[in-house]
Amino acid sequence: MSPAEIRSRGTNDRINNLQQEGRLQRENSRGKGVLSKHDVYSHALRVAYLSYLLEPRARRKEHVAAQKRQVQRPATSINDLVKDFSLIRDSRSTKFPHGFMSELEKRITLVLYGKEKMKEYDDSSVKRTFAAFLNEFKKPDYRKSVEKDRRVEDLLLIFFSNATKVLQQGKPPEDDSWKFMVDRHVALFVRLISATLKDHDWSRERPELATRLQTLEAKLLVHDQDLSAETQRNGGAGGTTIEVEVPRTYEIKDMPLVQAVAKIFGMSNGQSQGDVMDNKPSWTEEAALQDLKMYQTNLSLNTRKTLTHDDFDLDEGYESWKKAEVHDLAQLVMAILQSSPELAKTSGNFLPQFQPATNGSGSDSGYSDMSRKMSEQSQSDPGSPYVVDQPVDMSFLNLDEKVEEDVQRDDRSYTFIPPEPRAFYRYVLNLALSNDLRDQELQPTEATEETPSIKLLSKQSTELLNELAIRWRVPQFSRLILLLDVIREKYINQEIPLDTVDAAFEFVKRPLENRKGNKSNQIVQSSLFDRSKWTIADYALNQQVLSSLHDAFLRELFENFVQCYESKPPSIGPVMYVLEHHIYDDPLFAKTPEDLDEFADRVREALRQKARDMYSMMLSKELPNQLDQWEFFHVIQLGKSAIKLAEKIQKRWRKNPEAMGVNPFTILVEEIFPSYVADSRDIVKRIMEFAEKKGEPVPVQDGFDLYKELVSIRRVYSDALPGIPFAFQIEDLLSDFVWRWIKLTDTNMAGWVENATKADPFTVRVEGENQVPNDNERHSVSVIDVFRSFNESIEQIVSLEWDDDYQYAKFMTAISKTISAGLGRYCELVEQQFTKEMDRLTPQQEAEVRQTRQEKLLQLAKDAWSQKEKIEPFQFLPESLVKLNNIEYAILQLDKLEHEVNVDACAEVLHSREPQLRLHQQIDKYVFTIKIIEAEDLKACDINGLSDPYVVLGDEYQKRLAKTRIQYANLNPRWDETVDIVTQGPLNIIATIWDWDAMGDHDCVGRTSLKLDPSHFRDYLPREYWLDLDTQGRLLLRVSMEGERDDIQFYFGKAFRTLKRAERDMTRKITDKECIPEIKNASIADSLLVIGLHRLLPLKTSPQKLTEQAIYCYFQRSRVQSIQQQGPTQAEVTNMLKPLFTYFDDNFAIMKQTLTETAMVTVMTRLWKEVLATIESLIVPPLSDKPSSQRQLTQQELDIVFKWLEMLFDFFHAVDEDGTANGVPLDILKSPKYHEIVSMNYFYFLPTDDLIRESERIAAVSLQKRQQAAAQSNRLSAPASLLSTPSGHAFGGGAGLMGLPSTKRSKSIMLSRNLGTMRKAKEEKRREMQAEPSDDIILRILRMRPEAERYLRDRSRQKERLAAAAAAEMIVRQSLLAGAGGRGRIPGR
């Protein structure tokens, strides 16, 4: 327990004991009796009048002239004085500087206006003299003369002349005192000149002039008189001044305190004047002195008319008060005697005697200091009659016996001291405070660093109260407590604001200001703030004031708390400040923490009820009464109102969120948010049920808006109530709106794509006609619009900030399916238009179509023996090339969209939530990827012994599924085209090869069929099928399967593959147009070029189709001649390709105007692949198990072909003079196919036996690597007997019918889900091809060796056994999957 608490507890015990004895009640009854306003007014008026009597009397000054004395003139004349200047007239150092005259005129003007700082010039006679000189000085002629000469003596002589005239006026002839004053005024003039020079720093420039002026002034003042002395005033006549007292008027206008009493009590000045005059004989200084003597006697006799020992709790307090009281009585007595010295004569030996001060002997009650504290005027008044700061001997207060007897009989009363001083003082204080608070003109005090601005009492009221307290002997601490008691009463009665209460407490707590040298004030401070030295009545009243104010503050605080949710609530800050700084910090405050906790509980309950009321008001305001009028908008508005109120309260209580242990924001959230959450859930359900019954679903946007609002409320709810879970899952309640929106988007997506494509002119987007577009402007608006719709669809879901990762991933999966379908539709529309534009006929071709068959044959013969001019390039339409740019732009935008959606993260969420479901999910749809590779030994359907074949795939119901491009004049065509077929079960497809004819129906070359059964592809490995046609020849297909599943990666991969295939097909159509339709030279090299490039470069409507057989016949006829003749030179070999390069350049120039750089590289890359395929076909035949009729090239012919390859490589790389590559990058040019062609030179001329041995070795190494890989992956392998023979490529037979698992990696949809995965798959394919050896090149070379026919047939049988082993392995796998619970299910990839 702290010392303050111990002291407070002891004092409380003392108070309780005194209350039991009845002494405290008697003491308190003194100040709480019924007082008469007239009595209080009368006593206050007495004190105010006494203050007027005791205040120092005003004094006034009177002048007494001195006796005349003989004036002595100095012996020096004015001519002698200026002689020193006139003798050196030509010297520049004694002349005035330029501009001096104007400055001197200003200085003299200041003298005349009385603004000169030197007081000796403030004399009427001096001003008259200077005025006369100034008038003469301003005359133009004189002014011009003196400014020209600038001589000192000119000014002195004219001033002397004017001074003589002025001072001589009015003097009698016998009076020559004015002559002495002439010298004195001239001296003042010289002094003014010196001062002017000095102020403008001219004295430094002319030191001689300054020195001579000082010397002249000294000569004029020969007797060394002080010009400012009083004896020199009045024209030098001198004299003295005496002070005399002003007699008293006894008028109220001279009595400020009497006027203050009249104002406070509502009396007129006339009434107060009459009361003063009526009681003037009895209200005297002598009566006041007699009151002090009687009070001292009562103090000595310890009567009840003063404070006694019983009024204090501690003896120390009583002794301290008594010592200060004795000292103050002496001060008051001395003040009266100083004001009325005649009373000292009647007092005889009863005057107090001053004695030297000793340590600790001084005492001061602080009444005068209280006056200085409450009134700055009294603080600064040195003539206060109530303060005698000297030690006083109080032995004079031994009063006569008569006074003592009267005191003992208690039959004498005071004149100025009322019977109940505390009660009277409080009455006056109450009236004064009420009066001053009503005074609108009363200004508050100025705030300082330590004290705030205070508006309590006026200056007059403060001085009056201070005077009353001194005369009525009210202790200082009693005055402070009575002030707080009056403040308490007025605050409870709502007469004053809280700021006034705070100002009163600050005023009471402010320490007194110490006077210099007044050590007794420390005792006053000690007794003032040491409450143990207070009276018991003041101590108890202080406790009562604190307790009463505390209750009042809590009531106001409670009301402010209850209104804190209103729009403009009252602030609790001022109340809390007063409570904490003035109530709780006071050690006398006796409330316990339990009481405060009880108050906090009542506030919390009231705030909860207020919060419920606020929510009820919001509910009734925002929600209609009728159910059929309810909408999500009302729930949203209700939530916004709740959030707005919560945010406003949170912002309002941001700095101090808790007061008195109460947090209004938390209470509000605890009451409103749970209610809103429960109500919103029920309201939403009822709205949706009602809408379902009506058949009018709630708009999707309303559901989205409601979700955003509920999520924001949940966020605030979680922050404010972290330990309380949200009542329901918002996402589960409102997810149906997202699914509806996705379904609507999926329905509209095809229409959006079609409208965008239909409205697109497919032109580059440039502002000016001659402006060269950049790559960002080379795609049209349709692809921008399509992806804008994609992005808006994605953004709509992202903007919801869906707080359920699993549901969000499901949404993204569904929208990705829609995007994939939209891109598929866009590619389909663009390709249709592109194909139509590329297949258009030229005017020449249209003329050929109208020719008869006989005309065509005749034209064909003519073209065979004639030579044409330069072949013109194909005129590509800009809109066709823009379509390719659109596809390229779509690929980049789809990759960007894939990263923004974060596809992999969505897939990971779905896999983690439903791993078993995805592992054994039932696949309803399957995607079969069929690659139509090539055909061989087809039937010739044209008269030239060739065919123009293309393949059509259809189902068993004769529905066309796919169609390839046309390979002109070729019986061994190669298409390398891929198509996707989606099926829900087994499907029989029919492949029909047709011969294209310009006129009439197309001829059927042959048919074959294949059953696509998902059960045969459970390992998801691609298979190659050699399918025999029903006529002659066969067709090679590569088939792979994937399960179409609800997976976001699958849908993005499908979209990417659709775009890449569209890009490939469009690029291939472009490269098909970059062709040479006829041959100019019939040399062997040209024949070889035509043989090789014929598949790449012919026009489908070319009137001339040179057959390979015809070329070979020509080659055979010319072979002997070519052997006998010398082969072509290097220049001839080089010139053979110039027409081809020219044709390429012309086509590239056309495409360069429209295609983007990336699309241009794509076209050139595709063309390069066709070039490599053509070069390869020149060297070796395709891979097959049958011997080929193609002849092996000679060394010279092979060198020519490789020379062409080198030239074509440099052409496509396009390195300029600076070494910069502008064409296809090297990594694309040096593809695996390029390296394979280059490696042919090593095997091409080896003997057949060596080739067979090398083939067997490579096949054995390849088989061994496969077995090792299978063993490492713990995969089941076929029996060793089935795998003992080397394996190679599929050639046909039974393996072709069954389908041999291919070693090539399947280009699955999952590997095509973005550009990164596609690049990674391509790089892995490149590495695998480089790492795994292959004997395909050797087998193709052996096809041109008749002696290797048997070996090729044996390898075919080996392939059959390998296919059987693969089939057995697949059966084992299926059995294992069925045993592991995978029966009837196909694992998704």
Side-chain angles (χ1 to χ4, degrees):
M1 186 176 296
S2 64
E5 293 176 345
I6 296 173
R7 183 167 60 251
S8 175
R9 180 177 179 183
T11 305
N12 291 335
D13 295 341
R14 173 67 171 164
I15 291 174
N16 295 332
N17 295 332
L18 292 176
Q19 286 178 346
Q20 293 175 0
E21 297 174 2
R23 292 162 56 191
L24 182 57
Q25 286 81 351
R26 292 194 301 272
E27 177 64 27
N28 291 336
S29 67
R30 297 180 185 177
K32 295 186 179 180
V34 178
L35 301 180
S36 171
K37 180 179 180 181
H38 181 269
D39 291 342
V40 179
Y41 163 73
S42 177
H43 280 83
L45 188 62
R46 298 175 192 181
V47 174
Y49 174 68
L50 178 62
S51 174
Y52 170 72
L53 296 177
L54 296 181
E55 68 181 4
R57 296 183 184 181
R59 294 177 178 270
R60 63 188 178 193
K61 296 181 180 181
E62 293 184 356
H63 179 73
V64 179
Q67 296 181 355
K68 296 183 178 180
R69 55 189 179 89
Q70 187 68 28
V71 179
Q72 296 180 359
R73 288 286 298 137
T76 306
S77 65
I78 188 62
N79 294 327
D80 295 335
L81 294 176
V82 301
K83 182 174 59 177
D84 294 338
F85 293 95
S86 60
L87 293 177
I88 52 174
R89 180 173 301 177
D90 297 333
S91 176
R92 179 179 175 276
S93 61
T94 58
K95 289 186 178 183
F96 292 118
H98 292 284
F100 173 78
M101 298 305 172
S102 59
E103 296 298 330
L104 179 62
E105 180 182 352
K106 295 178 183 178
R107 195 67 178 266
I108 295 175
T109 302
L110 294 178
V111 172
L112 298 182
Y113 282 109
K115 296 182 179 180
E116 176 58 47
K117 297 180 180 179
M118 293 184 287
K119 59 183 179 179
E120 57 265 25
Y121 293 90
D122 191 13
D123 188 271
S124 59
S125 61
V126 174
K127 293 180 180 180
R128 288 197 305 271
T129 304
F130 275 78
F133 168 76
L134 185 61
N135 292 333
E136 188 71 23
F137 183 71
K138 287 185 175 181
K139 291 181 179 180
D141 296 339
Y142 179 76
R143 181 66 174 269
K144 182 177 180 181
S145 176
V146 296
E147 286 186 349
K148 177 180 179 182
D149 297 335
R150 295 180 286 123
R151 294 183 301 181
V152 179
E153 56 269 26
D154 293 341
L155 294 180
L156 293 177
L157 290 176
I158 194 64
F159 185 87
F160 178 81
S161 174
N162 284 277
T164 302
K165 293 178 183 180
V166 172
L167 295 176
Q168 189 178 7
Q169 292 177 359
K171 299 293 182 180
E174 66 276 7
D175 185 6
D176 59 353
S177 60
W178 59 271
K179 298 179 180 179
F180 186 80
M181 292 305 299
V182 170
D183 294 346
R184 190 168 303 278
H185 285 197
V186 174
L188 288 175
F189 181 66
V190 173
R191 180 175 297 182
L192 190 66
I193 292 175
S194 301
T196 305
L197 291 171
K198 184 178 180 181
D199 290 346
H200 292 81
D201 207 21
W202 285 326
S203 58
R204 293 186 180 182
E205 298 178 1
R206 287 167 171 77
E208 185 177 356
L209 176 59
T211 303
R212 291 182 183 274
L213 289 173
Q214 292 178 2
T215 303
L216 177 59
E217 181 183 350
K219 289 181 179 181
L220 290 171
L221 300 176
V222 65
H223 299 292
D224 197 19
Q225 293 95 341
D226 186 2
L227 295 178
S228 63
E230 294 182 359
T231 57
Q232 303 302 324
R233 297 177 182 175
N234 299 322
T240 60
T241 301
I242 63 174
E243 291 184 351
V244 296
E245 291 185 352
V246 179
R248 292 175 180 158
T249 62
Y250 294 100
E251 295 180 0
I252 195 173
K253 65 182 180 62
D254 297 328
M255 305 176 187
L257 293 187
V258 174
Q259 295 178 17
V261 172
K263 181 179 180 182
I264 291 173
F265 285 89
M267 300 294 181
S268 64
N269 290 343
Q271 290 176 316
S272 298
Q273 182 72 56
D275 293 338
V276 169
M277 299 307 295
D278 293 342
N279 295 282
K280 178 181 177 183
S282 59
W283 295 352
T284 61
E285 296 97 324
E286 184 178 1
L289 183 61
Q290 191 65 25
D291 281 358
L292 294 177
K293 292 180 179 180
M294 187 179 298
Y295 183 84
Q296 174 61 30
T297 302
N298 288 322
L299 181 63
S300 301
L301 297 178
N302 199 21
T303 65
R304 301 301 299 170
K305 289 190 175 182
T306 63
L307 295 178
T308 63
H309 182 276
D310 293 336
D311 293 319
F312 291 87
D313 184 54
L314 299 178
D315 294 339
E316 180 183 357
Y318 174 72
E319 293 298 332
S320 175
W321 169 81
K322 185 175 181 180
K323 182 184 295 185
E325 197 75 356
V326 171
H327 184 272
D328 288 340
L329 290 175
Q331 287 186 330
L332 296 176
V333 169
M334 289 301 299
I336 295 175
L337 296 179
Q338 288 178 359
S339 177
S340 301
E342 64 275 7
L343 294 179
K345 299 178 182 179
T346 61
S347 299
N349 296 327
F350 300 118
L351 289 175
Q353 303 296 324
F354 295 105
Q355 55 187 356
T358 58
N359 295 334
S361 64
S363 176
D364 189 354
S365 65
Y367 297 135
S368 59
D369 293 302
M370 186 65 179
S371 174
R372 289 191 304 277
K373 176 179 179 181
M374 303 176 68
S375 173
E376 294 185 1
Q377 179 180 2
S378 59
Q379 175 189 358
S380 60
D381 186 6
S384 177
Y386 315 126
V387 182
V388 181
D389 291 330
Q390 296 290 337
V392 180
D393 184 6
M394 300 304 297
S395 61
F396 77 96
L397 289 175
N398 296 328
L399 304 181
D400 53 22
E401 296 179 358
K402 184 176 182 303
V403 175
E404 186 174 349
E405 291 175 358
D406 293 339
V407 170
Q408 292 177 351
R409 290 198 304 269
D410 200 14
D411 56 0
R412 289 194 58 179
S413 62
Y414 297 109
T415 301
F416 293 95
I417 302 177
E420 300 292 342
R422 294 178 81 255
F424 275 63
Y425 179 82
R426 187 186 185 282
Y427 194 100
V428 178
L429 176 60
N430 191 4
L431 290 179
L433 187 60
S434 300
N435 183 74
D436 290 340
L437 291 177
R438 289 193 300 268
D439 188 1
Q440 299 296 331
E441 297 180 357
L442 179 63
Q443 299 296 326
T445 61
E446 295 184 1
T448 63
E449 296 181 357
E450 299 179 354
T451 60
S453 177
I454 300 176
K455 181 181 179 181
L456 287 176
L457 296 170
S458 64
K459 183 178 181 182
Q460 288 185 340
S461 299
T462 303
E463 293 177 351
L464 175 62
L465 290 171
N466 183 65
E467 192 70 21
L468 294 177
I470 292 175
R471 290 300 166 185
W472 294 349
R473 308 313 304 148
V474 179
Q476 184 174 353
F477 45 78
S478 298
R479 283 184 257 173
L480 299 179
I481 298 305
L482 292 175
L483 175 62
L484 292 180
D485 188 37
V486 172
I487 292 293
R488 172 197 60 79
E489 178 181 349
K490 291 187 175 298
Y491 178 73
I492 294 176
N493 296 333
Q494 298 183 353
E495 298 179 19
I496 59 175
L498 185 65
D499 294 340
T500 305
V501 180
D502 179 50
F505 272 105
E506 293 293 341
F507 173 77
V508 169
K509 291 181 178 181
R510 185 171 44 169
L512 298 176
E513 300 176 1
N514 291 326
R515 291 186 299 173
K516 294 183 178 179
N518 188 4
K519 299 181 180 180
S520 62
N521 200 25
Q522 300 176 359
I523 302 177
V524 178
Q525 296 280 4
S526 176
S527 62
L528 179 62
F529 296 102
D530 187 0
R531 296 175 182 176
S532 63
K533 297 180 181 180
W534 289 8
T535 63
I536 297 176
D538 291 329
Y539 191 92
L541 182 59
N542 192 9
Q543 282 189 326
Q544 181 183 354
V545 168
L546 293 176
S547 178
S548 179
L549 284 176
H550 178 259
D551 295 340
F553 291 154
L554 289 187
R555 286 194 296 272
E556 181 175 356
L557 187 63
F558 183 86
E559 296 175 357
N560 294 351
F561 262 121
V562 173
Q563 301 178 51
C564 70
Y565 298 147
E566 302 291 342
S567 59
K568 294 182 178 180
S571 175
I572 70 168
V575 184
M576 289 299 304
Y577 177 84
V578 175
L579 275 173
E580 293 177 357
H581 289 80
H582 302 316
I583 304 299
Y584 296 145
D585 288 349
D586 198 313
L588 290 186
F589 181 69
K591 291 287 184 179
T592 61
E594 289 76 12
D595 298 331
L596 300 180
D597 294 340
E598 181 182 356
F599 170 77
D601 293 338
R602 288 193 290 111
V603 172
R604 292 191 191 96
E605 184 58 34
L607 286 179
R608 291 191 183 95
Q609 183 59 43
K610 184 66 176 180
R612 289 191 288 268
D613 295 341
M614 294 292 293
Y615 178 71
S616 299
M617 293 174 56
M618 290 188 292
L619 193 63
S620 60
K621 177 182 177 182
E622 303 295 346
L623 194 66
N625 296 327
Q626 301 298 327
L627 174 61
D628 57 353
Q629 298 178 356
W630 288 4
E631 296 180 0
F632 282 180
F633 171 77
H634 300 125
V635 183
I636 294 173
Q637 290 302 114
L638 182 61
K640 288 183 177 180
S641 299
I643 288 182
K644 182 179 180 181
L645 178 60
E647 291 177 348
K648 181 171 65 176
I649 299 303
Q650 186 180 29
K651 182 179 180 181
R652 185 179 296 167
W653 293 80
R654 180 178 63 254
K655 294 183 179 180
N656 298 304
E658 189 173 291
M660 300 290 291
V662 178
N663 192 322
F665 173 73
T666 302
I667 295 175
L668 178 71
V669 174
E670 290 176 349
E671 290 297 327
I672 289 184
F673 281 7
S675 301
Y676 172 76
V677 170
D679 291 345
S680 63
R681 175 190 56 196
D682 298 337
I683 294 171
V684 169
K685 288 183 178 179
R686 297 185 66 178
I687 291 175
M688 295 175 66
E689 292 173 357
F690 186 78
E692 186 177 355
K693 291 180 180 179
K694 291 176 61 178
E696 299 177 358
V698 180
V700 173
Q701 189 60 43
D702 291 352
F704 288 169
D705 295 339
L706 177 61
Y707 175 78
K708 293 179 181 179
E709 192 64 30
L710 291 177
V711 168
S712 62
I713 291 178
R714 182 172 61 185
R715 189 179 301 112
V716 178
Y717 183 95
S718 302
D719 295 340
L721 307 173
I724 303 177
F726 205 71
F728 68 98
Q729 187 68 20
I730 304 174
E731 288 72 18
D732 294 341
L733 182 64
L734 301 178
S735 61
D736 182 63
F737 289 95
V738 184
W739 288 117
R740 284 172 51 195
W741 181 84
I742 293 175
K743 183 179 180 181
L744 181 63
T745 303
D746 184 69
T747 304
N748 297 331
M749 183 60 70
W752 295 344
V753 172
E754 291 174 2
N755 293 334
T757 307
K758 187 183 299 182
D760 189 4
F762 292 99
T763 58
V764 294
R765 298 172 295 109
V766 292
E767 298 179 357
E769 296 181 358
N770 299 325
Q771 181 181 355
V772 179
N774 54 39
D775 282 359
N776 294 329
E777 299 173 340
R778 292 178 183 263
H779 50 269
S780 62
V781 295
S782 62
V783 69
I784 298 177
D785 294 339
V786 168
F787 271 91
R788 182 183 295 115
S789 64
F790 294 164
N791 289 316
E792 290 175 354
S793 302
I794 295 293
E795 183 60 29
Q796 179 64 52
I797 299 178
V798 173
S799 63
L800 294 176
E801 297 181 359
W802 203 261
D803 201 15
D804 188 309
D805 293 342
Y806 176 71
Q807 291 185 3
Y808 177 81
K810 295 288 287 183
F811 296 155
M812 286 300 174
T813 300
I815 202 68
S816 65
K817 180 180 180 181
T818 301
I819 292 174
S820 178
L823 279 175
R825 180 57 179 164
Y826 182 75
C827 291
E828 180 182 356
L829 294 174
V830 170
E831 283 192 272
Q832 288 176 359
Q833 297 183 21
F834 182 84
T835 302
K836 184 177 180 181
E837 294 164 358
M838 295 298 292
D839 291 346
R840 73 186 188 279
L841 298 178
T842 64
Q844 180 182 359
Q845 293 171 341
E846 293 178 355
E848 293 175 356
V849 171
R850 292 190 295 269
Q851 290 178 346
T852 62
R853 185 176 183 85
Q854 184 177 2
E855 292 174 342
K856 287 184 178 181
L857 294 175
L858 182 61
Q859 185 65 34
L860 184 63
K862 291 180 179 179
D863 292 339
W865 297 101
S866 65
Q867 294 185 356
K868 291 187 177 182
E869 299 297 329
K870 175 183 177 182
I871 304 172
E872 295 297 329
F874 182 79
Q875 295 299 322
F876 296 98
L877 297 178
E879 50 267 30
S880 302
L881 301 179
V882 169
K883 292 179 176 64
L884 181 58
N885 292 341
N886 286 359
I887 299 298
E888 179 258 337
Y889 175 82
I891 293 174
L892 298 178
Q893 291 299 312
L894 183 63
D895 186 69
K896 180 180 178 181
L897 187 63
E898 192 266 349
H899 285 84
E900 292 176 353
V901 173
N902 201 352
V903 170
D904 293 339
C906 293
E908 181 64 27
V909 170
L910 294 175
H911 294 166
S912 62
R913 291 289 294 271
E914 45 188 31
Q916 296 300 324
L917 179 62
R918 288 188 168 272
L919 183 61
H920 302 290
Q921 65 179 348
Q922 182 68 42
I923 298 178
D924 299 330
K925 293 183 179 181
Y926 304 93
V927 181
F928 283 94
T929 302
I930 301 176
K931 185 174 183 179
I932 305 173
I933 301 176
E934 62 180 341
E936 62 179 24
D937 295 336
L938 297 182
K939 181 179 70 173
C941 298
D942 294 337
I943 60 175
N944 57 3
L946 299 174
S947 295
D948 302 323
Y950 65 91
V951 181
V952 175
L953 295 183
D955 59 9
E956 53 194 355
Y957 304 104
Q958 298 182 355
K959 177 183 177 182
R960 177 180 287 189
L961 302 177
K963 174 180 174 296
T964 67
R965 70 187 189 280
I966 303 171
Q967 292 288 358
Y968 297 100
N970 202 330
L971 298 179
N972 298 291
R974 188 177 184 90
W975 292 279
D976 286 331
E977 294 190 24
T978 306
V979 62
D980 287 340
I981 298 176
V982 180
T983 178
Q984 295 181 350
L987 176 67
N988 291 321
I989 63 170
I990 299 173
T992 304
I993 302 179
W994 297 88
D995 172 60
W996 180 88
D997 287 328
M999 297 179 60
D1001 297 333
H1002 299 183
D1003 301 325
C1004 180
V1005 179
R1007 287 187 177 88
T1008 186
S1009 63
L1010 176 66
K1011 183 178 182 180
L1012 301 179
D1013 191 347
S1015 62
H1016 297 165
F1017 292 85
R1018 289 186 177 181
D1019 55 357
Y1020 294 99
L1021 292 177
R1023 287 170 172 75
E1024 292 184 350
Y1025 296 90
W1026 274 107
L1027 304 178
D1028 294 330
L1029 301 178
D1030 56 358
T1031 54
Q1032 75 175 51
R1034 55 183 181 173
L1035 177 67
L1036 177 61
L1037 302 180
R1038 180 181 295 125
V1039 182
S1040 62
M1041 186 196 73
E1042 288 184 270
E1044 182 167 330
R1045 54 191 179 179
D1046 190 24
D1047 187 278
I1048 187 171
Q1049 292 177 328
F1050 176 85
Y1051 292 131
F1052 268 91
K1054 187 176 181 180
F1056 269 109
R1057 191 160 72 171
T1058 301
L1059 289 172
K1060 294 299 290 185
R1061 285 182 178 175
E1063 179 189 49
R1064 181 199 61 196
D1065 294 342
M1066 295 169 70
T1067 304
R1068 179 173 288 167
K1069 288 183 181 297
I1070 292 176
T1071 57
D1072 285 346
K1073 296 299 180 180
E1074 297 186 71
C1075 53
I1076 300 178
E1078 50 193 271
I1079 300 300
K1080 292 183 179 181
N1081 301 321
S1083 63
I1084 296 177
D1086 285 337
S1087 300
L1088 293 175
L1089 179 60
V1090 172
I1091 293 172
L1093 298 182
H1094 190 61
R1095 297 174 184 173
L1096 172 63
L1097 306 173
L1099 283 171
K1100 63 181 180 180
T1101 57
S1102 175
Q1104 177 188 17
K1105 298 182 178 64
L1106 300 179
T1107 65
E1108 292 184 7
Q1109 286 83 352
I1111 300 248
Y1112 277 122
C1113 291
Y1114 173 82
F1115 177 74
Q1116 293 294 343
R1117 289 195 303 269
S1118 305
R1119 179 173 180 79
V1120 178
Q1121 182 180 358
S1122 64
I1123 294 175
Q1124 295 175 356
Q1125 298 177 355
Q1126 186 179 1
T1129 64
Q1130 187 70 22
E1132 292 175 342
V1133 172
T1134 304
N1135 292 331
M1136 289 176 189
L1137 292 185
K1138 282 187 178 182
L1140 179 64
F1141 292 158
T1142 302
Y1143 186 75
F1144 282 166
D1145 287 336
D1146 293 341
N1147 281 280
F1148 290 163
I1150 295 174
M1151 292 186 291
K1152 190 68 174 178
Q1153 297 176 0
T1154 307
L1155 288 180
T1156 63
E1157 183 178 353
T1158 304
M1160 191 67 190
V1161 172
T1162 302
V1163 172
M1164 295 177 67
T1165 301
R1166 183 65 199 177
L1167 189 58
W1168 171 249
K1169 291 181 179 179
E1170 296 292 346
V1171 167
L1172 292 180
T1174 303
I1175 295 293
E1176 182 184 37
S1177 65
L1178 287 175
I1179 301 175
V1180 292
L1183 188 64
S1184 178
D1185 59 345
K1186 298 179 181 179
S1188 174
S1189 61
Q1190 181 175 342
R1191 179 189 58 81
Q1192 185 172 350
L1193 301 179
T1194 64
Q1195 183 65 52
Q1196 184 182 19
E1197 294 168 346
L1198 185 63
D1199 292 341
I1200 293 174
V1201 171
F1202 277 105
K1203 179 61 178 179
W1204 289 344
L1205 177 63
E1206 180 183 355
M1207 294 172 62
L1208 289 168
F1209 183 92
D1210 295 338
F1211 175 81
F1212 279 90
H1213 193 37
V1215 179
D1216 56 16
E1217 297 178 355
D1218 298 332
T1220 304
N1222 300 311
V1224 182
L1226 281 178
D1227 58 337
I1228 297 178
L1229 291 176
K1230 294 185 177 181
S1231 61
K1233 178 62 68 176
Y1234 173 81
H1235 290 288
E1236 185 177 319
I1237 293 174
V1238 173
S1239 64
M1240 289 182 184
N1241 199 15
Y1242 174 76
F1243 298 104
Y1244 201 72
F1245 295 107
L1246 288 178
T1248 302
D1249 295 339
D1250 294 343
L1251 290 176
I1252 292 175
R1253 284 193 296 271
E1254 183 66 19
S1255 174
E1256 292 176 348
R1257 185 190 66 81
I1258 294 176
V1261 172
S1262 177
L1263 177 62
Q1264 183 179 3
K1265 287 186 176 181
R1266 293 181 187 178
Q1267 291 176 348
Q1268 291 176 355
Q1272 291 176 359
S1273 59
N1274 296 322
R1275 301 175 65 182
L1276 294 176
S1277 60
S1281 59
L1282 295 177
L1283 301 176
S1284 58
T1285 58
S1287 64
H1289 231 282
F1291 295 117
L1297 294 175
M1298 183 176 184
L1300 181 66
S1302 174
T1303 60
K1304 295 184 178 180
R1305 178 182 296 272
S1306 172
K1307 294 182 181 180
S1308 65
I1309 294 177
M1310 299 300 290
L1311 293 178
S1312 304
R1313 61 181 181 269
N1314 56 46
L1315 295 179
T1317 57
M1318 286 190 286
R1319 284 192 293 266
K1320 184 177 179 181
K1322 185 179 294 186
E1323 184 62 28
E1324 290 181 357
K1325 178 181 178 181
R1326 181 189 295 267
R1327 288 197 298 267
E1328 290 179 0
M1329 293 183 65
Q1330 293 176 355
E1332 183 176 354
S1334 175
D1335 61 343
D1336 291 351
I1337 294 297
I1338 298 177
L1339 294 177
R1340 296 173 70 178
I1341 295 174
L1342 290 176
R1343 286 195 63 196
M1344 297 183 295
R1345 310 281 180 92
E1347 62 272 18
E1349 180 180 0
R1350 182 176 179 181
Y1351 176 75
L1352 294 175
R1353 188 168 52 252
D1354 293 340
R1355 290 294 302 274
S1356 176
R1357 296 192 185 98
Q1358 293 173 6
K1359 286 295 182 180
E1360 293 176 5
R1361 290 194 295 270
L1362 183 60
E1369 182 180 359
M1370 181 180 63
I1371 294 174
V1372 173
R1373 288 182 183 175
Q1374 293 176 356
S1375 300
L1376 292 176
L1377 289 175
R1383 187 185 307 275
R1385 298 181 181 271
I1386 299 179
R1389 297 182 67 234

